[in-house]
Structures are given as structure tokens and as C-alpha cells.
Amino acid sequence: MPAPIRLRELIRTIRTARTQAEEREMIQKECAAIRSSFREEDNTYRCRNVAKLLYMHMLGYPAHFGQLECLKLIASQKFTDKRIGYLGAMLLLDERQDVHLLMTNCIKNDLNHSTQYVQGLALCTLGCMGSSEMCRDLAGEVEKLLKTSNSYLRKKAALCAVHVIRKVPELMEMFLPATKNLLNEKNHGVLHTSVVLLTEMCERSPDMLAHFRKLVPQLVRILKNLIMSGYSPEHDVSGISDPFLQVRILRLLRILGRNDDDSSEAMNDILAQVATNTETSKNVGNAILYETVLTIMDIKSESGLRVLAINILGRFLLNNDKNIRYVALTSLLKTVQTDHNAVQRHRSTIVDCLKDLDVSIKRRAMELSFALVNGNNVRGMMKELLYFLDSCEPEFKADCASGIFLAAEKYAPSKRWHIDTIMRVLTTAGSYVRDDAVPNLIQLITNSVEMHAYTVQRLYKAILGDYSQQPLVQVASWCIGEYGDLLVSGQCEEEEPIQVTEDEVLDILESVLISNMSASVTRGYALTAIMKLSTRFTCTVNRIKKVVSIYGSSIDVELQQRAVEYNALFKKYDHMRPALLERMPVMEKVTTNGPAEIVQTNGETETAVLETKPPPSGLQPANQANDLLDLLGGSDITPVIPTAPTSKPATAGGELLDLLGDLNLTGSPVSAPAPQIAQPPFLLDGLTTQPLFNDIAAGIPSITAYNKNGLKIDFTFERSNTNPSVTVITIQASNSTELEMTDFVFQAAVPKTFQLQLLSPSSSVIPAFNSGTITQVIKVLNPQKQQLRMRIKLTYNHKGSAMQDLAEVNNFPPQSWQ
Amino acid sequence: MIKFFLMVNKQGQTRLSRYYEHVEINKRTVLEAEVIKNCLSRSKDECSFVEYKDFKLVYRQYAALFIVVGIDQTENEMAVYELIHNFVEVLDKYFSRVVSETLNLLQNIFSLSKLGGSVISENKSKEKNI
């Protein structure tokens, strides 16, 4: 067999390949040659073959058949063999292969070899790919080598120790004694690796951190020497002495100084010195300054130092080099929360960065700008940000739009400005606006009552030309539906009123409905808007009726459902139509992250926009009530829902949706004008801000509902003047025993014709000896004025055991329910 | 911590790759292709630090060769930028110009001077002696 070719030839050959296929062919041929050579167990050329194999591995071709060969090379005595063998092991083997354990013995022997280079190789390999078992076995050897005086070995041992600690954190204590003298070395290599080792230890264990805090003075001294020392050719990089070591030390100082006043104080001087003395003309200096700034920000430095740091960052921002600007923006973003005023000073520079060409810089600048917006600069900043929104890449538009909305909400100087800003965002980046922005906007518009005419006019003009941007069209259709009468009547104080006829308005809405560009949700909005206009407009009702009936047979199920219901409104329930389609009331302010509770008010008209159906909070109480149901065994008892009446409106809406079927509720909830948000219609008056117990009928006698085992429960009654079917019962639970009762839970069930609502109790512990009580409010709706009956279930812990009791309350006074 | 180190030519072929964390072979090629695409498409005016998935890439161009280093969030990007330059200077001094045939020795230098993803010896003369 001819001698295998050298690596160089192989590389040359491969480079001549023109196509990927040619290259693959060459590699495969060579692989075959290598494989046959391995089979022949040829010692002389093994090293050459493995070298070629490694090269091919680097190019991305599979080379696992060389693993055993690497092991054989490691076991050989020749240094060149060993070198390639270890290199191969590092590249080809890792802890997932079982073969690697065979190496352990070899490495152990080599760690004790007489030649330092062989020891070095072994350390390198262990540090690269040692598995936890290998590390455990060999940690002792590594620790021994950490203490030698040979600096070549010491530095490698230190990094190997880092790897061991990463793999087996429990062994950290083992290396502790060896670290004592590490920092006393003169050799920079050893210093550097020691600092890495210390950093790793401090990051992993808070005890180590506390232990190493005493090294701070020593570190400061080393750093000082580095800065002060003259030119040293060995460590010089562009005029600065060993910048890598400086950066490392700064990082370690950062970790040590975090949350610790003493260490931070010791570091203050040196940090100031580094910050002022480092030359900034080259990138090296800037790298060091960057690390210094990060350190200053992280430790408890004095304010003068912080201001210095921020000024450095400001200087970075003005630098022409992109890298430096990027780095400055990132750091400013981190510090803007804590040092807000200092960063404000650089606002104009940051805003300029918005116009930069680089994508990363633009993103940082945008985030930072949003963080800097406050009441004073909001107008100027918004102008810049809107301009940015116009010209930025699509990937930014969504974030930018949301950011603008948030900022506008917080700092809007006037309502008109706010609405103008929103309009501008909708028209420029309309399709990138997030979905939850639409309900928020609608709520905002509703709340600015005096701006309704202006708003609707502007929105109308906006979609007149172009109705492809969905969020814009959705908001516009909603507004036109609500305030169409203002639009047509031509009243507008803020702007020149335009003359619009009812037909033109309907034209636009119909074109939205027909257009291919409209999403299904948008069409829903448009149809509802048309329907609402039937009460606002006077002469086009027939047209509206026609439109609505056409969509009764639409393919889109949502549209069809709406159209059919609206049709029914026209036909069977025309008397209800004006009340149902009335103007929306002012909505309560909800947080921007709230689900679509806002539009649940007129459940009838906005049903499709109800994205969230009854939240699961309704489920849990239902489970509790199920036990009552079992016990009461009757089908005439309805389960209790203790709190969270949010499930109610959806069901109220749901029942109303069933216009074609039976109406289960009586007429009263349906025609309740402008029900409040998230309130069951019938308990409307009870849950508003009006005090509950104002409108009281003449005193109704209170009763003792339950009195057993020292637990007494009293009921006191109140009737509401505004709604005679509602009885408000306040229960008071008291405990006359000598031990307190904990985890007290009160549950109640009523017959089917009643509806019950339990509010939260004042606490769940009844103190002993009647020294305190638990109060809880129950509301009962009794529309049919039947005799009030109630079953109650009590569970509590008393004298260390769980107690439970059921009782029926029949002694309600007639005034409480008649 | 340095995650990986790549040397790529302008055509997108990897000339040298060194990973400090285990990545499977097929994933490596995908990773390299994406990283290279990211860096090659950037113009001269853009900054050398790119965010890619959960690490940062620091890249530098030397004539026809791109050097890309992937680092995690804790590392100082500018220091790594300097490191790349330092490395190239060493190569330059040792070999008259940076050639691929010496990649074998390069790997050795790598393993010895950047053990476990950290720099241990930026001492140029020492590196020449290895």
C-alpha cells in the first residue's frame, strides 16, 4: 500500500474541487483509504491519517471511525503521536461516547509525565471534554498541578479546574486551598487563568464569594500595576498593557463588589483611575472602558462615579465607530431605570441614533427612546418616533406602534393630541398594530366625549381613501356605527366639518363588507356598525334592512349569525331595537393588558368581539358547590357562585343571543338601560360605588340561623329600594368556645327560583370567647317573591380536628322576601 | 464564554471551526450556514456585533476571510473583538500570510491558548513558541 498522502496535499487537492459533489467524492475516496490503513494497524502513518481525518471532520464530514485510533495514538510514546491523538480526542470525542472513559487511565499517566508538554496536553484535553466521571477521578491530579511552580502548567491546570468545577460543582472546595497563592504570581498567563478560576467559583457559590472578598485589595493592586507600568513588549496590545487581563479583573471586581459596600468603596479609586487614564483612540481602550462602566453600574458606587460612567457612555455615543455606539446604547438601556436623569441629558444623541443605518443600533435606540419619554418631552419625542415609524423596517413597526400607544396613554398632554397621535399611527403602520390595541383605542375614544365628532370625522376621512389596514378599519367602523349621527349632522368644533350624507356613510361601510381585503373580524365590525346606524339614521333604514338580510345567508358563520339576529331584531323585536342599540356609556378604565372585558357591556351588540368567554374563575366555585348539590340531592337547588360574577355577563349575552328561542330571563334584565361592565344586570345597583346599605326599608328583624357547638351565625337583612327583588343578608359568625376556629368556610344553596351571590368573607378565623366575628355578605335575588329558604354548609377546624355541618334555615322573616 | 470560533471564506465555506460546547455534526453545518449568511449580508457600515438566537456574534473581516466568534451574554463584546485581532496578528507573525494549510497547527494553538472557551495566553511570543 503506498504511503498515505500528507495533510497538506489533501488540503490542496480538496481546494481544487469546484463543486460540492466533487469535494464529497474526494473526501470519500480518502476516507476509504484511511479506513483500510487503520485496519492494517499501521503505526507509522497513523498520526498522518488521523490528522487528515480531523481536517475532514472540520469540514463537516462524519469521522467517528477515527475515535479508537485517537486512543491508540494517545497511548503511544511519541510526542507527535500524542499530540495528534489528544487533538483528535478533543475534537471527536465527548462524554456521549462510551469510548472516552478508556482515556482516563492514559490521561492520568500523562498528568504525571516528566515532560511538561505532555502534561500540558493532558490537561488541555481534560479541560476540553472531560466528563463528570473523568473529572472526579482526576481532580486530585489537577489540584496537585495547580500548586506547582511551573507557570506553563499552572495556567493550564487553573483552566482545567474551571472545567472540573463546571462539571462537578461539589469539588469546588477541593480547589480552595490551592487558590491562596494564585494571585501572587508574576506571570500574566497564570494571573489571567487564576482570575477566571476565581470568577467561576464566585459565580457558583455565595460562600466562596464571601470568602474571596478579602482579595479585593490585592486585585486592585494588580490592576494598578498594570495601568501604571511602563511599556512591556510582552503584554502590549496597541499601547495598553495586557487589556485582556484588565478586563478580566474588572469583571471579577464587579462580581465581588455587587451588594457589598466595603468592597465597592475599596474599588472606587481604581475605577475612577482606569476610567480617566485609559486611552480611547483605539478599540482596546474602549473595550476596557466599557467593562469599567459595566462594573461601576453594578456595584454600589458613589454618585460621582456613576455620573462619570454615564458621561463615558455619552462620549461613546458620539463616536463614529458603530460598535462603540451599539455598546453604549446597550449599556444605557440597562442603566436608564436607575439613573434616569443622567441619561436624559443624552436624549438628543439617542434620538439621532434612530436614523442610523444599522439595524441593531436602531432597535436599541428605539427601546431607549421609549424608556426616556416623560411628561416634558413627550411632544418632541413623539414627533421623532412617528417619523421613525414611517421609515423603519417592518420588523420594528409592531413594537414601535405598541410603544407609542403606551407612551401616549401615559403622558398625553391633551385628548386631541392623543387621538391625533393614534390616528397617525393607524394610518402609517395600520397593519402592524397589535390586536389588543383596537379595544383599547375604542375605549379611549369613548371616554373622550367631547372629541367624538372630531374623531369620527377624521376616521371617516381616513378610510374613505383606503380601507385595507384592518385595525384602522375596525376602529373606524366602530366609531361610525356609534357616532354616525354626529358625522352626518356636520357638527365639529375642532375641524372644518364635512358634508356627508347617510348614503355615503353606508356606501363606505358596505364596501368594507364586500371587499376582499377585509378580515372576518372587520366585517363583523362593519355589519354591527350598519345595524347601529339603523337607530341613528332616519332615512336609510330600509337600505340597512336590506343589507342585513343579504348577509343572513353569508358563508361566514359569524356574519350569518349576526345578520340573522339583527334581522330578527327588525322583525320580531323592533320595539327593543332603540334601547338595545343605544349609545355606549363611558367605560371604566382597564389596564392595557386586560382581556376584552371592555366590550362586554352591551353583550347584545358586541357579541362577536367578545373574545374571552366566561373566564375559568367560574369553574372553581362550581366545583365547591357540587358537594352541596350531592348532599341536597334535589334538583331544585341551584349551585352557588361565591364571588367573581364575571361569568354572568357572558351568559346574559348568551341568553340574549337566543332571541329566537325562549327567553329564560324575564324582561327586566334585558331592557336594563346601560348595564355596567362585568356586572350581572340584576345586581346592578348593589355593586356600583353607591353604598350598599343606604336605601333600606324599615328595620327587618335579624335571625339566628345556626347555633351549635359554640358556633353562632346571625343573619341581618337589608332590602334595596331600587330593586325590590334583592335581599342583602349579612352573616356574622361568632365563636363562644375557648379555642378559635380556623379555615372557616360558609356555603349556601337556595331553591331554583332564587339566585344567590356570596361576597368574600372578612376573614377565615373566628377568635374564641366571642371576641371577634367573621362577616360575609350574601345577596339573594327573589323575583318571584317566594318564601326564602336556604341550606347552609359550614366547614372549619376546631380543637385540631376538621368539623363540618349542614343546616337548613327556614325562619326568614316575611319582610325579607315579600 | 466563547461558544464557537469560525473562519469562513467569502464563498461561505468553512475553513476552520472550533466549538467549545457540544453541537451535533448536522446541527453544526446548519448553524454555520446561518451564521455566515447573517454576517456576509451585512455591509461595511454596520456594527460588528449581531444578535443571533441566544448568543451574540462578533465578526471581523480580513480580506477574503471572515472570522466569527459566538459568545454568550456575559462576555464583553469589545474584548472579544480585540481578541480576534490579536489572534490574526499572531498568525500573521508566525506564517507570512494566513494560509489554510497550516490549519492543523492552528487547531493546536487553539486548544492550547483558548482552553475551555477562555483566553489564557494572549502573549504573542509564547504562542509562537508552541
Side-chain angles (χ1 to χ4, degrees):
Chain A
M1 211 188 119
I5 62 176
R6 294 170 155 269
L7 176 60
R8 250 174 239 206
E9 322 260 331
L10 177 66
I11 296 180
R12 228 172 259 144
T13 335
I14 290 183
R15 289 191 82 186
T16 60
R18 292 305 148 75
T19 65
Q20 183 77 323
E22 235 181 283
E23 186 182 297
R24 219 174 308 143
E25 212 182 289
M26 289 182 198
I27 299 237
Q28 268 171 1
K29 211 166 64 177
E30 191 55 40
C31 267
I34 293 180
R35 260 193 284 245
S36 41
S37 173
F38 283 160
R39 243 173 285 137
E40 283 174 20
E41 298 282 333
D42 185 350
N43 283 343
T44 25
Y45 292 120
R46 189 178 285 136
C47 126
R48 196 184 286 183
N49 284 326
V50 172
K52 285 185 284 189
L53 203 56
L54 292 179
Y55 179 72
M56 293 192 285
H57 172 83
M58 200 175 71
L59 289 177
Y61 297 94
H64 42 269
F65 55 90
Q67 285 164 3
L68 269 177
E69 303 300 318
C70 291
L71 291 179
K72 291 187 200 155
L73 281 175
I74 294 178
S76 123
Q77 290 308 314
K78 278 165 51 178
F79 179 69
T80 40
D81 278 356
K82 271 196 198 286
R83 192 164 71 159
I84 299 282
Y86 274 121
L87 188 59
M90 272 191 268
L91 291 177
L92 296 177
L93 286 174
D94 58 49
E95 51 193 41
R96 282 154 232 244
Q97 269 80 355
D98 303 319
V99 189
H100 80 279
L101 284 169
L102 297 172
M103 267 192 348
T104 319
N105 213 21
C106 278
I107 295 189
K108 193 172 196 152
N109 293 337
D110 282 338
L111 280 177
N112 295 323
H113 205 273
S114 43
T115 323
Q116 63 173 5
Y117 296 108
V118 175
Q119 286 175 301
L121 278 179
L123 278 171
C124 275
T125 311
L126 183 60
C128 256
M129 43 73 67
S131 64
S132 2
E133 294 89 30
M134 282 171 78
C135 288
R136 252 185 255 269
D137 289 336
L138 299 170
E141 309 286 331
V142 174
E143 201 244 338
K144 216 168 49 186
L145 285 174
L146 199 51
K147 296 198 200 135
T148 95
S149 48
N150 182 338
S151 46
Y152 174 82
L153 285 180
R154 232 174 156 189
K155 65 186 180 198
K156 292 195 200 289
L159 281 184
C160 196
V162 171
H163 180 86
V164 169
I165 292 178
R166 281 201 189 130
K167 283 285 180 197
V168 191
E170 296 90 47
L171 291 174
M172 217 190 309
E173 276 88 35
M174 197 164 115
F175 292 106
L176 195 50
T179 58
K180 279 204 186 39
N181 294 330
L182 275 180
L183 285 182
N184 294 335
E185 270 275 346
K186 289 271 179 278
N187 182 312
H188 280 214
V190 181
L191 271 179
H192 194 121
T193 54
S194 325
V195 173
V196 174
L197 178 60
L198 291 173
T199 315
E200 184 72 25
M201 284 177 147
C202 291
E203 273 173 2
R204 284 192 178 252
S205 145
D207 301 324
M208 292 285 179
L209 185 59
H211 173 85
F212 283 128
R213 282 229 172 89
K214 61 179 197 274
L215 290 177
V216 170
Q218 211 174 358
L219 286 168
V220 168
R221 218 176 30 242
I222 298 177
L223 194 52
K224 198 175 223 156
N225 286 338
L226 276 179
I227 309 176
M228 293 315 203
S229 66
Y231 175 72
S232 123
E234 266 201 11
H235 306 296
D236 181 80
V237 177
S238 303
I240 298 193
S241 180
D242 208 344
F244 300 104
L245 181 58
Q246 289 190 32
V247 165
R248 276 282 173 196
I249 293 184
L250 283 167
R251 195 174 306 164
L252 181 57
L253 285 176
R254 180 157 88 229
I255 297 177
L256 290 175
R258 213 177 268 160
N259 291 333
D260 185 62
D261 292 321
D262 298 324
S263 319
S264 309
E265 226 182 280
M267 289 179 220
N268 273 331
D269 289 335
I270 191 69
L271 288 173
Q273 209 174 4
V274 173
T276 38
N277 285 354
T278 316
E279 224 186 81
T280 57
S281 52
K282 293 278 185 64
N283 185 51
V284 199
N286 288 327
I288 297 183
L289 277 181
Y290 175 43
E291 193 72 33
T292 317
V293 165
L294 286 178
T295 304
I296 293 178
M297 286 298 146
D298 244 356
I299 67 174
K300 295 196 175 233
S301 49
E302 53 185 22
S303 59
L305 206 50
R306 293 182 93 90
V307 171
L308 179 61
I310 298 207
N311 287 345
I312 294 179
L313 289 178
R315 242 182 14 242
F316 275 1
L317 275 180
L318 295 167
N319 197 309
N320 284 330
D321 189 353
K322 305 280 167 160
N323 297 337
I324 298 181
R325 285 228 287 265
Y326 173 86
V327 147
L329 286 172
T330 317
S331 325
L332 280 174
L333 199 52
K334 281 188 222 156
T335 61
V336 77
Q337 307 300 332
T338 40
D339 294 280
H340 193 91
N341 295 329
V343 182
Q344 280 282 2
R345 242 175 276 141
H346 302 285
R347 189 165 47 87
S348 44
T349 334
I350 295 172
V351 168
D352 279 335
C353 287
L354 280 174
K355 306 196 180 89
D356 200 292
L357 292 166
D358 183 298
V359 168
S360 332
I361 291 189
K362 273 203 267 206
R363 178 172 284 282
R364 290 274 184 278
M366 178 180 83
E367 286 167 8
L368 199 49
S369 309
F370 281 129
L372 286 178
V373 174
N374 66 19
N376 297 332
N377 56 29
V378 68
R379 277 188 201 261
M381 291 289 273
M382 271 308 161
K383 215 164 32 187
E384 294 286 338
L385 286 168
L386 284 170
Y387 181 69
F388 175 66
L389 185 63
D390 268 334
S391 52
C392 69
E393 283 84 0
E395 61 215 26
F396 289 144
K397 290 207 183 193
D399 290 328
C400 192
S402 318
I404 291 183
F405 283 145
L406 275 169
E409 212 176 294
K410 272 197 263 185
Y411 301 113
S414 75
K415 287 225 157 105
R416 166 154 180 187
W417 181 92
H418 196 169
I419 291 186
D420 277 340
T421 313
I422 292 178
M423 295 268 327
R424 177 90 188 270
V425 173
L426 283 179
T427 43
T428 45
S431 19
Y432 299 98
V433 168
R434 295 221 171 89
D435 294 330
D436 58 352
V438 171
N440 289 343
L441 291 178
I442 290 181
Q443 186 220 347
L444 175 68
I445 294 174
T446 324
N447 287 348
S448 31
V449 178
E450 63 282 3
M451 306 291 303
H452 284 168
Y454 169 70
T455 315
V456 71
Q457 192 164 291
R458 286 209 58 185
L459 283 171
Y460 176 76
K461 278 197 275 199
I463 67 170
L464 206 48
D466 157 40
Y467 40 84
S468 61
Q469 308 209 54
Q470 300 304 301
L472 175 62
V473 174
Q474 285 169 12
V475 177
S477 348
W478 191 92
C479 284
I480 294 178
E482 275 292 304
Y483 311 120
D485 46 341
L486 292 176
L487 184 61
V488 170
S489 64
Q491 331 157 327
C492 179
E493 303 96 33
E494 308 272 343
E495 237 189 21
E496 189 67 35
I498 53 176
Q499 304 302 326
V500 184
T501 65
E502 297 181 1
D503 275 309
E504 285 171 359
V505 175
L506 284 176
D507 280 339
I508 251 281
L509 285 175
E510 272 188 59
S511 27
V512 169
L513 264 179
I514 299 175
S515 156
N516 290 333
M517 295 187 278
S518 305
S520 170
V521 175
T522 318
R523 276 186 240 237
Y525 270 98
L527 189 60
T528 309
I530 292 182
M531 187 60 194
K532 283 194 214 173
L533 288 175
S534 72
T535 47
R536 320 263 200 267
F537 284 175
T538 43
C539 31
T540 43
V541 183
N542 285 327
R543 182 173 171 186
I544 295 179
K545 266 197 214 167
K546 219 168 47 170
V547 170
V548 167
S549 57
I550 292 176
Y551 282 91
S553 44
S554 148
I555 297 183
D556 183 345
V557 179
E558 176 66 39
L559 273 186
Q560 190 188 90
Q561 180 181 13
R562 288 193 192 210
V564 166
E565 286 163 11
Y566 295 153
N567 247 340
L569 258 188
F570 271 124
K571 297 209 182 88
K572 289 208 275 178
Y573 300 100
D574 207 37
H575 55 284
M576 280 206 262
R577 192 162 49 86
L580 278 177
L581 301 177
E582 241 185 26
R583 193 71 106 220
M584 290 275 204
V586 172
M587 299 182 207
E588 271 179 22
K589 187 81 175 89
V590 203
T591 63
T592 44
N593 287 333
E597 300 154 358
I598 310 170
V599 287
Q600 276 181 6
T601 51
N602 273 353
E604 316 88 81
T605 49
E606 288 297 319
T607 40
V609 189
L610 255 183
E611 255 115 72
T612 53
K613 284 304 175 179
S617 60
L619 283 180
Q620 198 247 336
N623 286 335
Q624 289 173 4
N626 279 337
D627 345 324
L628 270 180
L629 270 186
D630 299 338
L631 301 166
L632 300 172
S635 52
D636 57 340
I637 310 281
T638 55
V640 156
I641 301 177
T643 46
T646 48
S647 50
K648 274 293 169 185
T651 49
E655 290 166 79
L656 284 167
L657 275 186
D658 204 13
L659 286 177
L660 300 178
D662 301 333
L663 275 185
N664 286 331
L665 290 182
T666 59
S668 47
V670 170
S671 57
Q676 304 287 337
I677 319 167
Q679 312 282 340
F682 67 97
L683 288 178
L684 167 62
D685 30 272
L687 295 174
T688 54
T689 50
Q690 301 162 9
L692 273 180
F693 310 112
N694 263 352
D695 27 1
I696 298 177
I700 308 172
S702 55
I703 58 168
T704 302
Y706 175 94
N707 192 346
K708 227 185 343 180
N709 298 331
L711 176 63
K712 184 155 88 100
I713 299 189
D714 293 323
F715 281 12
T716 42
F717 302 94
E718 263 120 20
R719 297 289 293 274
S720 166
N721 266 341
T722 47
N723 188 344
S725 330
V726 174
T727 312
V728 178
I729 308 177
T730 309
I731 69 159
Q732 296 216 329
S734 58
N735 168 12
S736 61
T737 66
E738 64 272 39
L739 278 180
E740 63 178 14
M741 297 175 179
T742 56
D743 298 308
F744 181 83
V745 176
F746 176 90
Q747 288 172 299
V750 286
K752 198 174 187 183
T753 48
F754 299 81
Q755 291 195 33
L756 191 73
Q757 186 191 10
L758 270 180
L759 300 184
S760 320
S762 59
S763 84
S764 65
V765 175
I766 320 181
F769 297 115
N770 287 331
S771 48
T773 60
I774 290 182
T775 327
Q776 194 166 4
V777 174
I778 312 174
K779 293 200 186 106
V780 181
L781 174 69
N782 183 3
Q784 298 178 16
K785 308 269 187 207
Q786 294 192 345
Q787 182 182 11
L788 189 50
R789 288 187 294 132
M790 194 186 279
R791 278 219 189 155
I792 60 176
K793 176 177 174 186
L794 310 159
T795 45
Y796 55 95
N797 286 339
H798 188 230
K799 294 189 182 146
S801 54
M803 312 272 291
Q804 187 180 296
D805 203 356
L806 286 174
E808 194 162 350
V809 184
N810 286 323
N811 49 338
F812 287 96
Q815 302 97 310
S816 64
W817 46 268
Q818 263 169 355
Chain B
M1 214 189 100
I2 300 182
K3 301 279 179 192
F4 57 84
F5 192 107
L6 297 175
M7 273 171 78
V8 185
N9 72 0
K10 268 218 164 129
Q11 280 81 36
Q13 293 175 312
T14 315
R15 290 274 160 242
L16 171 77
S17 72
R18 178 73 198 220
Y19 288 84
Y20 291 98
E21 252 192 1
H22 180 78
V23 179
E24 267 119 56
I25 288 246
N26 43 354
K27 290 221 188 93
R28 279 189 200 190
T29 25
V30 170
L31 177 74
E32 279 163 32
E34 277 186 31
V35 162
I36 290 162
K37 199 168 58 149
N38 253 324
C39 296
L40 284 180
S41 57
R42 288 171 78 83
S43 70
K44 249 185 163 296
D45 287 333
E46 298 181 79
C47 84
S48 308
F49 313 131
V50 186
E51 264 149 53
Y52 172 72
K53 290 204 190 152
D54 60 349
F55 33 62
K56 303 187 245 196
L57 301 173
V58 182
Y59 72 94
R60 211 161 170 169
Q61 183 178 10
Y62 293 95
L65 202 62
F66 273 91
I67 300 193
V68 186
V69 178
I71 55 177
D72 68 3
Q73 302 293 339
T74 57
E75 196 77 32
N76 180 338
E77 302 102 329
M78 300 187 73
V80 174
Y81 193 70
E82 266 316 301
L83 179 70
I84 299 179
H85 193 67
N86 189 292
F87 172 68
V88 170
E89 280 179 12
V90 169
L91 291 184
D92 220 24
K93 285 212 179 118
Y94 197 28
F95 319 107
S96 45
R97 52 194 178 94
V98 184
V99 202
S100 322
E101 283 148 0
T102 49
L103 288 172
N104 205 16
L105 286 159
L106 269 184
Q107 288 280 17
N108 267 333
I109 296 180
F110 260 115
S111 40
L112 299 176
S113 74
K114 282 183 198 33
L115 186 52
S118 320
V119 179
I120 57 173
S121 124
E122 44 321 296
N123 184 332
K124 288 192 206 140
S125 45
K126 281 245 177 88
E127 288 186 12
K128 283 202 302 202
N129 289 335
I130 291 175

